[in-house]
Amino acid sequence: MKGSSQLLLRRVLERVGGSAEAGYVLVLDGEGLEDLPAQMLTPHGTYSVHRLTSEIRLRHVLWQAQGAPVIAVIPGTLAGKLPPDLFRRARDRRVHALAPNDVLELMLGVRVVGADAPHLQALALEHVERMSQALSRRTLPTVVDRRLLTELLVDVSVGEGVRTQTPAALLAAWLADPPVWTENVRRLVVEALPTLHGDEGRLLAWAIGHEAARERLRALVIHGVLLTLDSDDLPPDVWGELNSAVDPDRGLARGLVRWTAGRLAEATLPLLGDAASALLTEAERVGRKKLGAALLATSRVLPLAFHDRCFALAKAAAEGKEITPAEIEWLRSHRAAGMHKAELAVLEALGRLSRYLTSTPESRLGPGPQTVIARVKRYQRNGAFADLAVAQLRHAMAGSSRYLAESKRVLERVRERRDQDNLGFAQALANEYEVALHADVTPLHRLWRNVVAPIWQQKDTAGVYVVVLDGCSYPVFLDLLYELAQHPATPIGIAPDADGRVVGMPALAPLPTVTSHARGALFLGELPQDPLVAETVFRDQQEARTDKARLNQNAVLGTRTRELFLKGDLTDGGQRLIETLRDTRVQVVAAVFNAVDDQIGSSNTGAAVRISPSSIVGFRPSLEAALHAGRRVLLTADHGHSPFVDNSLRVGDGPTPRYQALAADARPADGFLEIDVRGLGGPPGRRAFAWKSGAYLGGQQVGFHGGCSLEEMVVPMAWLEVRGLQADEPAWWYGAGALPVVEPVRRAPDPTPTPPPPVAAPQLQLFDPSGRADALAIPPELLAKLATDERSFLVLLKENGSLKTTEIATRMSKPVSRVNGLVVQLRRKLHGAGIELFTSETLPSGETLFRYQGGST
């Protein structure tokens, strides 16, 4: 306030009638007079200015002045003891004191009104310099009224956070560090909060303005959480301290307090972090004591309700009941879902498998004869998704210690059903293996002739890229395809067929489903007659030599240039592969990616590992390079695999886990079935192949192959395209009601004319608030004139008590500007009818708060 003293003293001279050539003026020392000038020049003379603290010193100065003009600044203690003669000779015969508004107007450079409250005056004088600095950063107003003065004082005394932060952020901050303020500051904040933050601000003011502020702040969360329960009549004990917050005179009706406190508590809990646990525990204690378990379970905030609902759903799934999508969505929307993602993942997978198990055999298998091709297609569209859901559940179980017993029971029932499918498929193969392998299905050794060659009939120079995922089962393919199709920049997937379905081509790997035999058939284009080779021997010694030689011998390719990339050729991250794909001189490019087979061939059964496109080196970049180069891209696998379940499914010793050579009088192991492959699968001899999921011989590993199960023999085969889609999920994947069901249009015969039926009352729309407008206090003739959006606005406002513009815009799915225009039109219609249903006030943020008050004329 340096330099302000002279301006204040001139203000005093104006009050006494202006400057004069003689006489002295007594001024009460105070705010703004710290730095006094020695002299003051005026039109009528020069005033000498003195700060005096005793009567003797005052008389001495007046004697020295000899009648010249003097300004004497004296303290209040001296002013009360001056003798009458000094008052009589002073101008206006009194001591002049500056009002707080004078100081503020002088320092702020603008007129100040409304600073009449003692606590405001004290704070304003204390922080006048900082207020001046804060005002200088704004557009200078014409006048500083009480509202602006309060806002400035809040900023300079407790910080801008009280004004700029959300009510939830303020509550979280005050719970973590309760504020310690002077009484004046506390009164200031209590006065400012309702204006700054509306209804939430009123509750915060109720809490912070009490001497037991800490307890009230805690009550806002503890009892606010309980007020979110789905009950119209909660006992007073559940309200706790919030009972005293109800005050209709201050705009805090009971319904409004409940709704506002619940919303404030829900918004505050995520901001509290670990500190929320103690408050939630206390809320659960109060709830268990005052409420029943059934009502407590409706809370969308309490962790106890989340866990109780999860346990109830897991138990229901274990008992063979279905978990609906609505129940899973309830869990996702729960406040505790973010803290318990692992448990939620378990329930989501359980929900899918529960719906798979409760699906009828007709919907699962479909009508018609149980041929090999029918079973393959059903597996692609149904059973493979069940296997994928099993893998998702096992992955989720690895990250959670809850609901394991229930999950295992569900997995056992799923495995039983899948084993039924596998056994039926194996028996169909055993009836006539050679016919089944070629009946309306593409065997791997016919890939080039049946799938690739037709491309060259359309365009002889078309470039082809064949991607082989070693050991990739159909469920793993579905998972990879989903992630490929979700890529934001270059989604890759399958194009819909003529019927609009997105599904891979039906294809089978030959028996036994081992790498040496299946991959030999794939690259040679014929079933090889070579001896069957153990996986480790083939991988380490023969893969690079045998596969490339067989591709070169492929008769279907004729004279077309070709190149095959194996594991050893991809150690550069796939750079040479990508360069070759861009080279139009190489017509056929094939690549084998071993990520899946390397994983299932390990003994690391204690890890739940998920293969993603980004984790396969060079996989996705090669797809993008091939597609951008104009090549057709075909993705397939040499065989699938049956995942490890547990060692209880080990059925004996053997060099190969999923098939066995049988002596003349030997019987197959449990879960194995003898199939005569008629010389199409290695040297002649009796062989039995595993059909039971997870059954194996020898040592354990992550996945097994060689058997005749659907998950081993049904291999992915699909043309990939840019902007393609993931495979169509079965109905149970999302559940009934998760997606709209479009009924086909059927033309009925022309009916005989009949009298029209009585018109039924229209069904109330669940998601359209305007359908509930009949509950508004509006005459029917006026209601009929209101637009749908205007009715929705009034219904939302009535049901919630008060809403901000942005909240209304969100709920009505409209821009904020449209909401403002809608309100203007609505006010005109209501005003014309003499009805006022709501009020509005502008918050400091510029946003409008609307408050429903019912009809009034």
Side-chain angles (χ1 to χ4, degrees), residues 462-485:
V464 175
Y465 177 39
V466 178
V467 182
V468 181
L469 297 176
D470 189 7
C472 180
S473 63
Y474 208 87
V476 174
F477 161 72
L478 292 173
D479 198 20
L480 292 172
L481 184 64
Y482 178 83
E483 192 164 337
L484 285 172

Side-chain angles (χ1 to χ4, degrees), residues 620-806:
R620 183 180 180 88
S622 71
L623 295 179
E624 294 182 0
L627 291 168
H628 291 160
R631 290 183 182 269
R632 296 295 304 274
V633 177
L634 180 66
L635 187 145
T636 187
D638 51 0
H639 56 78
H641 65 271
S642 185
F644 173 81
V645 178
D646 56 52
N647 54 18
S648 67
L649 294 176
R650 184 180 183 274
V651 294
D653 297 321
T656 54
R658 294 280 290 179
Y659 74 95
Q660 61 180 164
L662 296 176
D665 56 348
R667 297 182 60 183
D670 183 28
F672 284 61
L673 179 69
E674 183 177 357
I675 299 178
D676 184 2
V677 298
R678 302 183 183 279
L680 301 180
R686 293 179 64 206
R687 290 189 184 87
F689 302 90
W691 56 266
K692 191 173 186 179
S693 295
Y696 67 97
L697 299 169
Q700 65 183 38
Q701 58 189 57
V702 175
F704 310 100
H705 56 93
C708 63
S709 66
L710 286 162
E711 60 265 28
E712 293 168 279
M713 290 194 66
V714 178
V715 292
M717 187 175 293
W719 292 106
L720 300 184
E721 298 182 0
V722 177
R723 293 183 295 277
L725 306 173
Q726 73 267 18
D728 290 336
E729 299 89 350
W732 55 260
W733 186 261
Y734 294 110
L739 296 175
V741 177
V742 180
E743 294 291 342
V745 178
R746 298 180 177 88
R747 181 175 177 81
D750 294 335
T752 304
T754 57
V759 178
Q763 184 178 2
L764 198 62
Q765 297 188 37
L766 179 60
F767 299 106
D768 184 6
S770 64
R772 305 189 292 273
D774 292 339
L776 297 171
I778 300 179
E781 59 275 10
L782 176 59
L783 186 61
K785 297 178 181 179
L786 299 183
T788 301
D789 288 342
E790 294 170 340
R791 297 182 186 182
S792 299
F793 171 82
L794 291 174
V795 170
L796 289 173
L797 198 60
K798 180 178 185 296
E799 293 178 349
N800 292 279
S802 65
L803 286 173
K804 299 176 184 176
T805 308
T806 52

Side-chain angles (χ1 to χ4, degrees), residues 175-441:
L175 283 169
D177 185 17
V180 180
W181 295 326
T182 63
E183 184 58 29
N184 284 343
V185 172
R186 185 178 299 277
R187 292 182 61 186
L188 170 71
V189 175
V190 168
E191 179 182 326
L193 282 173
T195 303
L196 295 174
H197 298 295
D199 294 331
E200 290 95 337
R202 287 181 173 84
L203 281 183
L204 290 176
W206 163 81
I208 207 70
H210 195 266
E211 57 183 8
R214 181 179 179 84
E215 287 70 22
R216 286 193 168 188
L217 291 172
R218 286 172 54 84
L220 282 176
V221 176
I222 294 172
H223 296 281
V225 164
L226 294 175
L227 294 183
T228 63
L229 295 175
D230 188 12
S231 174
D232 295 333
D233 187 20
L234 293 173
D237 290 346
V238 174
W239 285 69
E241 289 286 334
L242 293 181
N243 281 302
S244 61
V246 178
D247 187 355
D249 294 338
R250 292 191 297 120
L252 290 174
R254 195 168 189 83
L256 181 61
V257 170
R258 176 177 179 177
W259 184 80
T260 305
R263 183 174 62 175
L264 181 60
E266 288 192 59
T268 304
L269 287 171
L271 305 178
L272 289 173
D274 295 339
S277 299
L279 297 174
L280 289 172
T281 300
E282 178 63 17
E284 290 175 350
R285 185 193 66 80
V286 175
R288 283 195 298 267
K289 184 177 180 181
K290 305 296 183 182
L291 301 170
L295 181 57
L296 205 60
T298 65
S299 172
R300 292 182 177 269
V301 180
L302 293 176
L304 178 64
F306 178 83
H307 291 305
D308 286 349
R309 183 70 66 93
C310 285
F311 178 75
L313 293 177
K315 183 180 178 182
E319 294 172 351
K321 300 175 183 177
E322 177 182 330
I323 299 177
T324 66
E327 290 167 326
I328 295 297
E329 190 58 36
W330 189 93
L331 294 177
R332 288 197 188 106
S333 65
H334 199 281
R335 188 261 165 194
M339 299 185 294
H340 301 281
K341 293 180 180 179
E343 288 76 9
L344 181 58
V346 172
L347 266 296
E348 288 175 340
L350 276 178
R352 290 194 176 106
L353 290 176
S354 73
R355 294 191 291 272
Y356 165 72
L357 290 171
T358 55
S359 61
T360 62
E362 290 73 19
S363 65
R364 185 171 57 87
L365 296 177
Q370 303 307 307
T371 60
V372 169
I373 182 62
R375 292 180 182 276
V376 169
K377 289 184 176 180
R378 283 194 296 268
Y379 178 72
Q380 288 180 309
R381 299 172 182 174
N382 195 59
F385 283 94
D387 289 347
L388 176 58
V390 167
Q392 292 174 344
L393 177 56
R394 291 190 178 278
H395 192 274
M397 290 169 63
S400 173
S401 61
R402 296 175 183 266
Y403 325 121
L404 298 185
E406 293 79 9
S407 298
K408 289 180 179 179
R409 290 174 60 186
V410 171
L411 288 174
E412 289 173 359
R413 296 178 61 234
V414 172
R415 193 165 64 249
E416 290 174 0
R417 176 167 289 188
R418 285 285 296 105
D419 283 344
Q420 294 175 10
D421 296 342
N422 282 342
L423 179 57
F425 175 70
Q427 290 171 341
L429 289 177
N431 289 336
E432 189 58 59
Y433 172 71
E434 185 175 1
V435 174
L437 194 63
H438 297 82
D440 298 323
V441 67

